[in-house]
Amino acid sequence: MMEKKRLLPGFARGLFAGHLEEGMIFPFPPADAGERESLELLLDSFRKFAGQKIDGAAIDEQARMPDEVIRGLFDLGIMGMTIPEEFGGYGMSLSAYCRVMEEVSRYCASTATTIGGHQSLGYKGILLFGTLEQKREYLPKMASGELLAAFALTEPTSGSDAASLKATAKFDRDRKVYILNGTKRWTTNGGIASLFTVFVRTPGPPGSGRRDPISAFLVPRDLPGLSSGKEEKKLGLRGSSTTDLILDNVQVPAGNLLGEEGQGFKIALEILNTGRLSLSACCLGAAKEMIDRSVAHARERVQFGKPIAEFGMIQDKIAEMMADAFAAESVIYATAALADRVEPVDYSLESAICKIFVSEALWRVIQHAVQINGGNGFMREYPY
């Protein structure tokens, strides 16, 4: 049986209930001193690597992620930084992971997306719900680079309404395998991953009259009947792999069931809490990069005899950009601290708030950046 965790209500849930859970966020959480040193070393190593190997503009132009970049991220330990040390990772907190994702996004959004598809989503289910045998089997390979992970939930008719998915799994008792059929849409890392967390419907109790429940499975790429569709041609994040995932009578061993049968929807939602939060950190990194570049341009660009940074309208824009970034950073790391607490906390509302607020804050920052940079803001050789 999958152990049921008792979650403390989060800060945002208290607001909806009409009371303020100040102890959840005050005082604002400081970084762990021991982890801070390791994090700074990791960030320094990443910056050196990114300066030499990660060309975000070229990756987007070529619409593919270079193998040497993925290999380098594994070698640095970034791809397995949240995996416990006993399984070959660094065992770092979600707060530290968000800080790294923030930094990666300043160099290349496609690279951040590839990391997130692997770590925020792809193997997160194993960390949260995997058996000891599944953790021993897969996590060391996820940390070393032997396996790259992906998360397959969305379908052609199922997007935000994840509960409407139609892919199926039927259990063959004689062979002790589940037979999976269906199509998944927009799978990040779909064309390059070697292990997928896949969500499908399994038969419910006969005569229950209810819709078949959702279950989760760990599906290796090398199983017959599993294939990827063509790479999608996206407007952005072009260097990350996004494909359909086709399941055609894929026989998955019973031991690859993740959690319990019928618990897949709950598993998906808990995984997505992390995905929303790390996505927010990526948006924050991009916003900070836009601010730095815009401030530098405003100081250098001279019009009417003085730098445009001295004009009130430009100063107003920069102030608004800074305010959005400050608020975004505050809500992200307050939420990450909730997730990192020893006693489990329900931070689902907070992570959803982060995704909405920070992604929209990034749009506002980018709009200001484009205007501050004038004609340069519209040119492809610049990152705006």
Side-chain angles (χ1 to χ4, degrees):
M1 297 287 290
M2 185 170 69
E3 181 181 351
K4 291 185 178 180
K5 297 181 295 183
R6 181 182 178 278
L7 300 177
L8 295 176
F11 177 78
R13 194 170 296 279
L15 294 179
F16 282 99
H19 52 85
L20 195 65
E21 297 288 350
E22 290 190 8
M24 285 284 177
I25 60 171
F26 297 114
F28 192 82
D32 177 81
E35 184 176 71
R36 189 188 305 126
E37 183 178 353
S38 299
L39 177 59
E40 286 304 321
L41 290 172
L42 181 59
L43 287 171
D44 184 59
S45 296
F46 170 74
R47 293 185 189 107
K48 292 175 182 175
F49 170 76
Q52 297 173 356
K53 299 294 185 181
I54 298 181
D55 183 338
I59 288 173
D60 192 71
E61 186 73 24
Q62 296 164 12
R64 63 174 297 273
M65 184 62 54
D67 292 339
E68 65 175 345
V69 171
I70 297 176
R71 183 67 259 170
L73 294 169
F74 274 112
D75 291 343
L76 287 172
I78 286 176
M79 298 293 263
M81 62 177 294
T82 60
I83 293 175
E85 292 182 23
E86 63 183 300
F87 299 115
Y90 286 166
M92 285 187 164
S93 66
L94 186 55
S95 297
Y97 175 56
C98 285
R99 180 66 188 89
V100 170
M101 292 296 277
E102 179 187 330
E103 191 69 21
V104 173
S105 294
R106 300 187 69 148
Y107 289 87
C108 177
S110 293
T111 300
T113 301
T114 301
I115 297 171
H118 173 73
Q119 189 159 195
S120 304
L121 302 174
Y123 69 66
K124 187 67 176 182
I126 304 175
L127 282 177
L128 293 174
F129 300 100
T131 63
L132 181 58
E133 291 76 14
Q134 289 171 339
K135 290 178 180 179
R136 286 173 173 169
E137 169 66 21
Y138 293 115
L139 291 181
K141 298 174 183 177
M142 297 290 185
S144 68
E146 187 174 342
L147 293 177
L148 183 70
F151 177 88
L153 176 65
T154 301
E155 296 184 1
T157 58
S158 169
S160 298
D161 180 14
S164 67
L165 65 84
K166 297 178 180 179
T168 62
K170 295 182 179 179
F171 187 55
D172 186 322
R173 297 187 181 278
D174 294 332
R175 291 179 288 174
K176 291 185 172 53
V177 297
Y178 287 88
I179 302 175
L180 275 59
N181 282 282
T183 299
K184 294 295 178 178
R185 169 70 49 93
W186 297 327
T187 304
T188 300
N189 294 346
I192 58 177
S194 40
L195 184 74
F196 299 85
T197 300
V198 180
F199 296 86
V200 293
R201 292 195 177 278
T202 47
S208 66
R210 298 180 179 180
R211 197 170 191 180
D212 290 342
I214 296 170
S215 300
F217 293 89
L218 302 174
V219 184
R221 177 178 288 280
D222 58 6
L223 291 181
L226 185 147
S227 60
S228 298
K230 63 178 178 60
E231 290 286 348
E232 298 289 349
K233 296 181 179 180
K234 307 186 292 290
L235 294 179
L237 306 174
R238 287 161 37 86
S240 63
S241 173
T242 307
T243 71
D244 284 357
L245 186 69
I246 298 96
L247 306 162
D248 183 10
N249 290 321
V250 181
Q251 298 182 26
V252 179
N256 284 35
L257 175 68
L258 183 62
E260 296 177 24
E261 204 175 284
Q263 294 296 309
F265 189 64
K266 169 183 170 59
I267 291 172
L269 293 183
E270 291 212 27
I271 293 172
L272 288 171
N273 287 337
T274 303
R276 294 185 181 109
L277 186 55
S278 62
L279 169 65
S280 302
C282 293
C283 291
L284 174 61
K288 288 183 176 181
E289 185 68 15
M290 293 292 95
I291 292 170
D292 286 352
R293 288 175 179 263
S294 297
V295 169
H297 176 79
R299 286 172 172 168
E300 295 169 0
R301 176 66 167 166
V302 175
Q303 291 288 277
F304 305 102
K306 59 182 178 180
I308 64 172
E310 295 183 17
F311 291 98
M313 183 176 68
I314 300 298
Q315 293 173 352
D316 285 347
K317 290 182 181 299
I318 292 172
E320 289 180 16
M321 295 162 82
M322 293 293 290
D324 266 331
F326 180 78
E329 186 171 57
S330 299
V331 72
I332 288 168
Y333 289 104
T335 301
L338 287 180
D340 288 333
R341 288 170 71 118
V342 174
E343 64 275 52
V345 174
D346 178 7
Y347 64 99
S348 56
L349 287 178
E350 286 81 2
S351 67
I353 288 169
C354 284
K355 180 180 179 180
I356 293 295
F357 174 76
V358 183
S359 62
E360 293 188 349
L362 174 59
W363 276 115
R364 292 191 293 270
V365 169
I366 292 173
Q367 181 187 40
H368 286 316
V370 169
Q371 293 184 39
I372 290 170
N373 284 272
N376 289 349
F378 196 64
M379 298 300 142
R380 291 185 64 179
E381 65 180 288
Y382 296 93
Y384 306 102

